[in-house]
């Protein structure tokens, strides 16, 4: 590859979100004379947790960064035995990533975790065009640490981003199964501690070497194979119809009377 980048130096990172709060998705309100679709009332007390994930094309994943809604860190989060020691937790006003969190993730997670795995001078980081990925501070860190960011075109991550192609959907499914199991045990609310207990288990079921490698392959990245993506697009190539001849005398004409017949005969001699 260009810049001497090998598959060992290719990474993809993105965020994915999880809803916490009441386990039930909706309450159904109905009445005896109702004939149409029941009216749904969504329960309140919902919170959002975000996980920043990053994977390498050779089949391993960096420690994630969990973002909770809040203003301070809670000591109990770090006392949970289910939480791996190398995981990072951040807080924001709504549980989403921010420019500052994106910068700290790059500085405190990505760079230290990948320094020992470099086989060449550069690291290739595949990402979407979210604003927190492309701030001036982040751009400066890319330059200082020889990181080459590749931003995917808008609305293409479901085809081009390995995390979206092969990891996030089974991750959501695995986490959902764990939440359903809690519901069967009469748990009706998922809080931050419950999330920190369930998410590591769901993640370990999905972020396996074979799954990660298959995700990069399905994206056409490693090994490089654009046809893996192009064959998923609904594109039909049409052969253009050649334009008709502009000469009025090239096509044979059938005379409709004796006078026209004699006229055509005189032109052929």
């Amino acid at each position: 590859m260009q810049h001497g980048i090998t598959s060992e130096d290719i990474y993809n990172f993105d965020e994915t979100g999880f809803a916490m709060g009441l386990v039930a998705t909706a309450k159904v309100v109905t009445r005896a004379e109702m004939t149409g679709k029941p009216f749904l009332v969504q329960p309140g007390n919902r919170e959002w947790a975000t996980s920043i994930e990053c994977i390498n094309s050779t089949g391993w994943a960096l420690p994630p960064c969990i973002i909770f809604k809040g203003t301070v860190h809670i000591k109990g989060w770090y006392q949970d035995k289910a939480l791996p020691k190398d995981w990072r937790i951040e807080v924001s006003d709504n549980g989403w990533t921010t420019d500052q969190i994106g910068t700290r993730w790059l500085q405190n997670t990505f760079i230290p975790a990948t320094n020992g795995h470099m086989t060449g001078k550069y690291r290739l980081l595949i990402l979407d065009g979210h604003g927190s990925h492309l701030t001036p501070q982040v751009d400066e860190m890319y330059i200082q640490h020889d990181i080459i960011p590749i931003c995917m075109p808008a609305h293409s991550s479901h085809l081009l981003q390995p995390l979206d192609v092969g990891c996030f959907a089974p991750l959501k499914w695995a986490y959902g199964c764990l939440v359903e199991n809690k519901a069967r045990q009469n748990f009706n609310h998922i809080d931050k501690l419950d999330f920190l207990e369930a998410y590591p288990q769901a993640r370990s079921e999905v972020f396996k070497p074979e799954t990660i490698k298959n995700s990069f392959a399905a994206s056409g990245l490693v090994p490089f194979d654009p046809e893996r993506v192009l064959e998923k697009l609904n594109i039909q190539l049409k052969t253009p119809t050649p334009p008709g001849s502009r000469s009025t005398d090239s096509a044979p004409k059938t005379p409709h009377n004796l006078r026209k017949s004699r006229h055509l005969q005189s032109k052929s001699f």
Side-chain angles (χ1 to χ4, degrees), residues 166-256:
C167 295
F168 281 165
L171 178 64
K172 295 287 185 72
W173 183 85
Y175 176 77
C177 289
L178 295 173
V179 172
E180 288 181 5
N181 290 337
K182 281 188 170 292
R184 296 189 185 99
Q185 300 171 13
N186 295 323
F187 285 85
N188 61 2
H189 187 274
I190 298 295
D191 59 18
K192 295 180 177 68
L193 290 177
D194 294 323
F195 178 84
L196 292 176
E197 178 184 350
Y199 188 67
Q201 182 178 344
R203 193 174 179 274
S204 65
E205 295 177 7
V206 175
F207 284 83
K208 298 178 179 180
E210 198 64 26
T211 302
I212 295 173
K213 291 179 183 179
N214 289 339
S215 299
F216 275 90
S219 304
L221 296 173
V222 180
F224 184 66
D225 183 9
E227 290 300 323
R228 292 290 298 269
V229 176
L230 294 176
E231 66 185 8
K232 300 175 185 177
L233 301 177
N234 186 21
I235 299 177
Q236 296 181 352
L237 299 179
K238 296 182 178 180
T239 303
T241 303
S245 173
R246 295 182 180 179
S247 174
T248 56
D249 296 331
S250 59
K253 299 180 180 179
T254 302
H256 297 286

Side-chain angles (χ1 to χ4, degrees), residues 39-86:
F39 180 71
L40 300 181
V41 177
Q42 297 293 334
N45 195 22
R46 287 281 186 175
E47 286 191 21
W48 192 257
T50 300
S51 179
I52 300 178
E53 296 287 355
C54 185
I55 54 177
N56 178 269
S57 65
T58 59
W60 63 280
L62 279 69
C65 175
I66 307 299
I67 307 171
F68 286 139
K69 178 182 178 180
T71 57
V72 296
H73 290 252
I74 306 301
K75 184 178 180 181
W77 297 347
Y78 304 94
Q79 295 175 336
D80 193 327
K81 295 181 180 179
L83 182 69
K85 299 300 182 182
D86 58 353

Side-chain angles (χ1 to χ4, degrees), residues 11 28 45 47 56 59 66 106 114 152 156 203 232 251 258:
Y11 298 86
V28 179
N45 195 22
E47 286 191 21
N56 178 269
I66 307 299
L106 188 66
T114 59
M152 294 173 296
S156 66
R203 193 174 179 274
K232 300 175 185 177
L258 181 59

Side-chain angles (χ1 to χ4, degrees), residues 8 54 68 103 116 132 136 147 155 157 178 196 246:
E8 288 82 359
C54 185
F68 286 139
T103 302
S132 62
I147 300 170
H155 312 297
S157 62
L178 295 173
L196 292 176
R246 295 182 180 179

Side-chain angles (χ1 to χ4, degrees), residues 126-164:
I126 302 166
L127 42 86
D128 60 29
H130 192 277
S132 62
H133 308 162
L134 302 171
T135 63
Q137 294 81 2
V138 169
D139 287 342
E140 183 64 26
M141 294 179 67
Y142 288 152
I143 296 173
Q144 290 178 358
H145 296 275
D146 296 316
I147 300 170
I148 301 176
I150 298 294
C151 293
M152 294 173 296
H155 312 297
S156 66
S157 62
H158 65 292
L159 294 173
L160 301 178
Q161 182 161 237
L163 281 167
D164 275 336

